[in-house]
Amino acid sequence: MEPLLFVLGVPLTGCVVLAVLGHRGIARDINVAFSLGTFVAACVLTLQVGTEGPIFAWDKEFFIDPLNVFLVTLTAFVGLTTAIFSRPYMRVEQDLGRMTPVRLRLYHSMYQAFSFTMLLALMTNNMGILWVAMEAATLATVVLVSVYRTAASLEAAWKYFILCGVGIAQALFGTVLLYMAAERVVGPDGGALLWTHLDAVKTQLDPSIITLAFAFLFVGYGTKIGLVPLHNWLPDAHAEGPTPVSAVLSGLLLNVALYAVLRCKVLTDGALQSPLASQLMMGFGLVSVVVAAFFLSRQKDIKRMFAYSSIEHMGLMTFAFGLGGPTATFAGLLHMTVHSLIKSAIFFTVGHAAQKAGTQIMDEIRGLIKVSPTVGWGMMLGSLAILGMPPFGVFASEFLILTTAMREQPWATPFLLLALVVAFAAVFSKVQPMVFGETTLKPLPHPPALLPVFVHLGLGLMLGLYIPPALDQWYRQAARMIGG
């Protein structure tokens, strides 16, 4: 009970404190301190669940089980490392005049609010509160994306608000339909929106209503995942917002939206006893992988390129979870973990590279290995890792997904292989000259925070070679839960 209270209470308190002090020089350290407190509380909560099993809190409105507890810790960890990265990054942005005191206060307070909403969405047992948390995360992200107040950032924030607003409205209608189906079974006073109650009676839910509900829920939360053709907001939001926002968008928010779909899939599979949910996820996932891979080669902005990479990888995860079975689901969870770590590390290096060059246009970023070897090597290693080079964890998860697809859905394998090859060629051909090309760039006035980069890359490498027993057990328990 107490760890859960701290996991939610620390970022919420941080939001209030930084709304007052967020413009001061010490605000960067306060932001890190609150993020550290959230991470420590998440670790304690993970240990509690590991020793005591799933726990309920606050009249069963919150539920921590093997499916969400490590996602909570992952979210808190990436939130902490991103806060560390943002210290020197935001100092440079302030020196360049892009961040005024008002914008800094807005950024720091909304960063903690964003963390709170994501953790709330992961830990709630109430499907209605899940929807509210996702909507709140959308609003917090709109503020973060538009914080520079340029015409491009305001346009990106508006597009994000409209598209995700429409999507989240679809999810609301799906949630209402879910309640309609559940009320007939558990009654109006029986906690008809509590996921654990729904899971217990899922075989008794009306298949017709659940089919319609999942369609709306999948479209709604699929918009937040960035699945094609609901993805148009994602490249703009990544390109125009501050780089720390890009890191948490790719590394965390997309995971939380996919988690919401997985919770809905479990209920749909039990109610329909048919592969409808799996087929929808495989179809949209595969289309997202292929379309995003071909869009990669057309990008000129480095943050937009890696935004399309995120769409590709979220499509691959969605396909894996739709494929189902213990191996593919295990691979999807592993891919979810390593993608969060590696992609956020890449955005850390992208942020420093763009600040050095004064632009996000890839043709104007050259010779990072000479200007800052750590930034250059971080970007190159991160790019190779996210492209699936062994022995990084992305290679292990993609190998498991491909081999399972060859056995279960052989028709999809050529499309996956083609997309992965195209993505590799597109990204590597653009990153290589940025790292090793000739340059006249000068070093930044403040040393970049590169510890988070290599910590993330090191963890991604470790997960390709060795998965700790506790994490392996979580993957297996969560895979059984998702697979029924």
Side-chain angles (χ1 to χ4, degrees):
M1 178 69 176
E2 290 82 4
L4 190 150
L5 180 63
F6 278 102
V7 170
L8 293 176
V10 171
L12 188 59
T13 305
C15 173
V16 175
V17 171
L18 288 168
V20 178
L21 303 176
H23 63 290
R24 299 182 180 273
I26 198 174
R28 294 186 291 269
D29 298 317
I30 296 175
N31 192 41
V32 173
F34 276 108
S35 298
L36 176 61
T38 304
F39 175 62
V40 171
C43 290
V44 174
L45 181 64
T46 301
L47 291 174
Q48 182 180 353
V49 174
T51 55
E52 301 176 11
I55 59 173
F56 289 95
W58 296 320
D59 197 26
K60 295 188 176 182
E61 291 296 323
F62 290 85
F63 176 58
I64 316 298
D65 67 354
L67 180 55
N68 61 10
V69 65
F70 275 91
L71 285 176
V72 169
T73 305
L74 177 65
T75 299
F77 174 73
V78 176
L80 169 61
T81 54
T82 305
I84 294 172
F85 157 74
S86 73
R87 289 180 70 253
Y89 180 87
M90 281 302 169
R91 185 178 176 186
V92 173
E93 294 293 277
Q94 190 174 13
D95 292 345
L96 294 173
R98 301 184 69 188
M99 293 298 289
T100 64
V102 173
R103 294 175 187 173
L104 280 171
R105 187 164 61 241
L106 198 62
Y107 166 78
H108 286 124
S109 61
M110 286 298 102
Y111 184 89
Q112 291 296 322
F114 182 60
S115 297
F116 167 76
T117 56
M118 288 188 295
L119 293 167
L120 177 63
L122 286 171
M123 295 192 296
T124 183
N125 190 31
N126 190 307
M127 299 299 287
I129 296 178
L130 172 63
W131 180 86
V132 171
M134 293 298 295
E135 174 69 359
T138 300
L139 297 176
T141 314
V142 167
V143 176
L144 289 169
V145 169
S146 66
V147 73
Y148 286 139
R149 293 297 187 269
T150 63
S153 67
L154 291 172
E155 179 185 353
W158 181 248
K159 181 186 289 187
Y160 174 70
F161 176 74
I162 293 298
L163 291 178
C164 288
V166 171
I168 210 72
Q170 308 298 311
L172 175 61
F173 187 59
T175 304
V176 172
L177 290 172
L178 188 63
Y179 177 82
M180 182 189 302
E183 186 184 19
R184 298 180 179 182
V185 180
V186 301
D189 300 323
L193 279 180
L194 296 182
W195 186 86
T196 49
H197 290 182
L198 290 166
D199 187 49
V201 300
K202 60 187 176 184
T203 57
Q204 304 173 45
L205 300 176
D206 188 322
S208 300
I209 298 177
I210 293 299
T211 299
L212 194 58
F214 182 78
F216 279 100
L217 288 164
F218 183 67
V219 169
Y221 292 131
T223 304
K224 300 286 289 185
I225 297 172
L227 297 177
V228 174
L230 312 167
H231 67 289
N232 290 328
W233 64 270
L234 199 150
D236 289 343
H238 279 66
E240 302 303 333
T243 301
V245 176
S246 302
V248 292
L249 273 176
S250 270
L252 301 179
L253 181 63
L254 306 186
N255 277 0
V256 176
L258 183 54
Y259 162 83
V261 170
L262 291 178
R263 287 292 195 193
C264 298
K265 178 182 181 293
V266 171
L267 302 177
T268 305
D269 288 343
L272 303 185
Q273 299 295 314
S274 74
L276 173 67
S278 295
Q279 291 170 349
L280 278 174
M281 293 180 72
M282 280 193 293
F284 278 91
L286 186 60
V287 169
S288 299
V289 173
V290 174
V291 171
F294 281 94
F295 267 102
L296 281 169
S297 61
R298 300 179 54 188
Q299 303 310 308
K300 301 182 182 299
D301 184 297
I302 186 171
K303 289 172 72 175
R304 287 184 68 90
M305 181 181 73
F306 283 114
Y308 275 103
S309 173
S310 294
I311 295 171
E312 177 207 358
H313 285 280
M314 295 310 296
L316 190 60
M317 291 176 221
T318 304
F319 176 83
F321 289 123
L323 194 59
T327 304
T329 306
F330 182 99
L333 293 167
L334 176 61
H335 201 83
M336 185 182 288
T337 306
V338 292
H339 176 260
S340 293
L341 295 170
I342 300 298
K343 187 56 65 65
S344 53
I346 289 173
F347 274 112
F348 297 161
T349 62
V350 165
H352 291 312
Q355 282 185 333
K356 285 178 182 295
T359 180
Q360 294 175 190
I361 303 302
M362 287 181 280
D363 289 341
E364 300 178 22
I365 302 174
R366 289 291 184 268
L368 292 172
I369 199 73
K370 298 178 182 178
V371 178
S372 177
T374 49
V375 171
W377 280 115
M379 181 177 291
M380 178 54 69
L381 291 174
S383 299
L384 291 174
I386 207 65
L387 291 172
M389 285 292 289
F392 286 97
V394 175
F395 169 78
S397 58
E398 287 183 348
F399 180 81
L400 290 173
I401 294 170
L402 282 170
T403 52
T404 306
M406 289 177 187
R407 184 178 66 252
E408 303 293 339
Q409 303 289 342
W411 62 271
T413 307
F415 296 102
L416 291 173
L417 287 173
L418 174 64
L420 293 177
V421 170
V422 170
F424 187 97
V427 174
F428 187 79
S429 65
K430 293 178 182 295
V431 170
Q432 193 272 340
M434 286 194 291
V435 174
F436 296 107
E438 296 297 325
T439 183
T440 58
L441 295 178
K442 297 180 180 180
L444 284 173
H446 305 293
L450 292 171
L451 179 62
V453 174
F454 292 101
V455 168
H456 283 211
L457 292 178
L459 290 172
L461 177 62
M462 181 195 74
L463 291 175
L465 299 170
Y466 169 75
I467 299 178
L471 191 58
D472 178 73
Q473 183 182 7
W474 170 68
Y475 287 148
R476 294 179 186 277
Q477 290 178 339
R480 285 193 297 269
M481 186 175 300
I482 296 169

